[in-house]
């Protein structure tokens, strides 16, 4: 019982008072984006911005990560688009039955070729073209369109 008496009679050195709603707050996506943008605009640390808004730094880091992930997903969605494909088929002759192996004939120049038209500019991509080069050309055309 002696320890209880000492606790009651000792003076209080520190007292914390919690103010505020005391419940979970909900933040709109616009508010989250605005607060995350303050980090870059103000040049302050994440902790300083979080403190100013009554948040924990971890919460603000999480919001920043979510915002970056959503922007990355949007940019990927804008890059990848499907366009209608038109297949130009030349009339074929009836199949010829071969009795022996014949030497392979050269392929027609237009066989296996893809044509992409962007704002009046036509890009023809042949069989075996390097995908990175084709992507760079199409992005450059899209940027100037």
């Amino acid at each position: 019982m002696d320890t209880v008496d000492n606790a009651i009679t000792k003076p209080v050195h520190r007292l914390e008072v919690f103010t505020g709603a005391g419940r979970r707050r909900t933040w709109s996506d616009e508010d989250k984006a605005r607060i995350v943008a303050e980090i870059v605009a103000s040049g302050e640390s994440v902790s300083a911005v979080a403190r100013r808004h009554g948040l924990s730094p971890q919460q603000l880091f999480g919001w920043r990560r979510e915002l970056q992930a959503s922007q990355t997903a949007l940019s990927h969605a804008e890059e990848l688009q499907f366009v209608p494909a038109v297949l130009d088929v030349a009339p074929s002759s009836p199949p010829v039955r071969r009795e022996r192996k014949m030497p392979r004939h050269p392929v027609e120049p237009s066989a296996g070729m893809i044509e992409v038209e962007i704002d009046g500019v036509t890009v023809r991509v042949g069989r075996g073209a390097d995908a990175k080069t084709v992507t760079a050309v199409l992005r450059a055309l899209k940027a100037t369109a």
Side-chain angles (χ1 to χ4, degrees):
M1 195 75 180
D2 191 33
T3 57
V4 173
D5 290 337
N6 285 339
I8 295 173
T9 59
K10 285 187 176 183
V12 176
H13 293 288
R14 180 178 170 174
L15 178 67
E16 288 188 41
V17 178
F18 294 100
T19 60
R23 60 180 171 82
R24 295 188 113 182
R25 293 177 286 176
T26 56
W27 298 87
S28 69
D29 291 340
E30 293 81 21
D31 288 336
K32 290 178 183 181
R34 181 182 47 78
I35 293 171
V36 168
E38 283 183 32
I39 298 168
V40 177
S42 68
E44 292 180 297
S45 69
V46 172
S47 295
V49 174
R51 195 175 314 114
R52 187 169 52 245
H53 292 282
L55 301 167
S56 71
Q58 292 82 3
Q59 189 173 18
L60 199 49
F61 279 119
W63 289 357
R64 186 170 66 177
R65 226 179 358 263
E66 287 174 10
L67 187 62
Q68 288 170 344
S70 68
Q71 288 174 345
T72 302
L74 284 175
S75 66
H76 285 301
E78 290 172 355
E79 285 178 11
L80 302 175
Q81 296 180 359
F82 289 100
V83 295
V86 178
L87 181 60
D88 187 16
V89 180
S92 61
S93 59
V96 177
R97 188 173 180 125
R98 297 182 184 166
E99 294 297 324
R100 58 187 172 98
K101 269 195 166 183
M102 305 275 297
R104 188 171 183 187
H105 295 288
V107 179
E108 291 180 37
S110 63
M113 184 172 291
I114 298 173
E115 287 187 10
V116 179
E117 185 175 334
I118 300 175
D119 285 340
V121 177
T122 302
V123 177
R124 290 182 182 88
V125 181
R127 184 179 294 184
D130 180 45
K132 289 181 182 179
T133 304
V134 173
T135 302
V137 169
L138 293 177
R139 281 191 180 146
L141 277 174
K142 185 178 176 184
T144 60

